[in-house]
Amino acid sequence: MVRWPMRIAIVSDVHSNLAGLRAVLRDAEADGAVDAVWCLGDIVGYAAEPSQTIAALREWPLTAVAGNHDLAATRLMGVEDFNPVAAAAALWTAGQLSESERAFLLDLPLTLVSGRFTLVHGSLSDPVWEYLLDEGQAAAHFALQATPYSLIGHSHLLFWVEERADGTAAFHRADDGTVLRLGEARLIINPGSAGQPRDGDPRVSYVLYDEAAATMTWHRVVYDIAATQTAIRAAGLPPFLADRLATGR
């Protein structure tokens, strides 16, 4: 059986933002067929459409790992370490899920290897909680990385990290249209957030992996923020969760 090179949309931190996810997937398909979606955790939490977001992702050939909000929504994790707004959203989300949706989230692994890639939400040092943001954390992660490349989320920021020959780590910021060519250097890649950007840009983001070209391309996408805000407010969730989307914070 012939296996064709794939085009994969890589998303993270969708956080029940159905409009954001749909905008990302439409954008990914605009220049050609997308064969699969890889999700780096936090499918749910914060926004008001967890069931619809899970359903939209499951329409695709999906490879996904669990994030802290996914675990909280299943009640497998408590919310003691969440800030009050995040805790309120997590508890609300837990009450919205059907048994099959809860089972889907419970079945997500903390880490997963697919070919040359390792997928994890936070880091390989702490798959659920660590925000990988400095060279020391990156070096510790690389020490545990058994594949050439890894994909992370959690921080909602767009970047990649390259492992230098001397074992140190170099961080590089990504933006809309940034193209990273995969080579021999080991890499950590973060697509940003498809549901709640936190870098001051309200556009959602994702990475498109083109296997034939061996490239990763970051994309920023405008979406219907007002629709997501309306749903959050109608659900009675903390107003801050709607307000922050307009500023990307």
Side-chain angles (χ1 to χ4, degrees):
M1 179 174 160
V2 176
R3 179 185 177 278
W4 298 103
M6 300 184 73
R7 296 175 80 247
I8 298 172
I10 302 169
V11 302
S12 190
D13 299 279
V14 182
H15 283 300
S16 301
N17 186 340
L18 182 63
L21 176 64
R22 283 179 170 166
V24 158
L25 296 177
R26 282 195 303 269
D27 189 79
E29 290 185 288
D31 292 325
V34 171
D35 300 293
V37 174
W38 290 355
C39 182
L40 309 177
D42 280 3
I43 294 170
V44 300
Y46 290 131
E49 295 173 290
S51 297
Q52 299 93 322
T53 300
I54 290 170
L57 280 171
R58 295 183 78 181
E59 291 175 1
W60 293 82
L62 177 66
T63 297
V65 294
N68 53 311
H69 285 263
D70 303 320
L71 298 179
T74 67
R75 303 189 191 276
L76 189 63
M77 172 188 290
V79 297
E80 297 80 11
D81 293 328
F82 284 59
N83 67 57
V85 170
L91 294 173
W92 179 88
T93 300
Q96 306 303 307
L97 299 179
S98 68
E99 282 304 310
S100 63
E101 291 161 351
R102 184 173 181 272
F104 164 73
L105 294 177
L106 281 170
D107 197 44
L108 296 175
L110 296 184
T111 63
L112 186 152
V113 172
S114 181
R116 288 153 56 89
F117 295 88
T118 299
L119 284 63
V120 64
H121 181 62
S123 76
L124 292 175
S125 301
D126 185 344
V128 172
W129 279 113
E130 183 170 68
Y131 292 92
L132 195 157
L133 295 172
D134 65 40
E135 291 189 14
Q137 292 169 322
H141 176 102
F142 276 127
L144 298 170
Q145 182 175 310
T147 56
Y149 315 118
S150 63
L151 306 170
I152 67 168
H154 197 39
S155 67
H156 300 213
L157 302 176
L158 295 70
F159 63 86
W160 81 92
V161 189
E162 180 179 354
E163 185 181 43
R164 299 188 184 101
D166 64 1
T168 58
F171 277 74
H172 303 272
R173 179 179 173 180
D175 207 339
D176 187 30
T178 296
V179 178
L180 174 63
R181 299 195 178 278
L182 303 178
E184 294 184 2
R186 294 207 302 165
L187 302 170
I188 304 166
I189 297 162
N190 193 323
S193 174
Q196 193 191 84
R198 291 182 184 170
D199 61 355
D201 184 338
R203 295 176 297 171
V204 287
S205 66
Y206 72 101
V207 161
L208 185 65
Y209 170 45
D210 187 323
E211 185 181 24
T215 57
M216 293 280 189
T217 304
W218 279 260
H219 296 270
R220 302 298 297 249
V221 184
V222 174
Y223 75 100
D224 191 346
I225 294 174
T228 302
Q229 291 176 317
T230 297
I232 290 170
R233 291 169 180 143
L237 288 162
F240 171 71
L241 295 175
D243 298 341
R244 72 185 305 173
L245 296 176
T247 59
R249 294 295 185 189

